[in-house]
Amino acid sequence: DNLLLFLKSEMKPQYIYAGSFITDNGVIDNPQSKWYNRDLYDHDTYPDYASGPGYFLGSKVMDYILAKRESLVLYRVEDAAVGIWTQDMTQLDRVNLAAVVYTSVCQDGSEIIYV
């Protein structure tokens, strides 16, 4: 219900890119890291992007990505990829949503993340 109320309150929900945005995040240089992307994205930092635990993309944003799908680089860092792919979209409505993340460890040692 809250999500629907939020989207209805937006002026142009079809152009929304909403989530907890990360700014000035450096591109990982270590080839041993699972987030290594320097070979695919040769910049010091990524454009602003919504963090991976959850973000919303409006229908026009999805159409934009879909229309460019043949020429898009498939980056290893999926959430940063969305920021890269949409950085030139002029009508994009970026909405930064505050998020609080909690982590907990189960008895078996596995980690749970609550957002």
Side-chain angles (χ1 to χ4, degrees):
D1 291 340
N2 288 339
L3 174 59
L4 293 176
L5 290 173
F6 166 72
L7 291 174
K8 286 179 183 178
S9 72
E10 287 297 309
M11 296 299 287
K12 296 187 280 184
Q14 65 271 27
Y15 289 98
I16 197 169
Y17 177 21
S20 180
F21 277 83
I22 298 172
T23 60
D24 297 320
N25 192 26
V27 177
I28 302 295
D29 288 325
N30 180 355
Q32 302 305 314
S33 171
K34 70 178 183 178
W35 294 289
Y36 175 68
N37 237 10
R38 178 67 68 183
D39 59 334
L40 300 173
Y41 191 72
D42 193 21
H43 299 273
D44 291 333
T45 60
Y46 292 110
D48 295 354
Y49 65 91
S51 180
Y55 50 87
F56 306 102
L57 298 173
S59 61
K60 296 292 185 182
V61 181
M62 292 300 298
D63 289 344
Y64 180 84
I65 293 171
L66 185 62
K68 295 177 159 245
R69 72 185 175 277
E70 297 297 326
S71 63
L72 296 177
V73 175
L74 298 178
Y75 298 102
R76 292 179 197 94
V77 183
E78 147 274 326
D79 47 2
V82 176
I84 296 166
W85 297 338
T86 59
Q87 68 183 332
D88 295 328
M89 188 176 180
T90 57
Q91 291 182 298
L92 190 65
D93 181 17
R94 285 186 180 86
V95 178
N96 190 24
L97 302 174
V100 178
V101 179
Y102 304 94
T103 60
S104 180
V105 179
C106 297
Q107 288 180 341
D108 67 359
S110 59
E111 200 171 288
I112 300 175
I113 299 175
Y114 303 94
V115 179

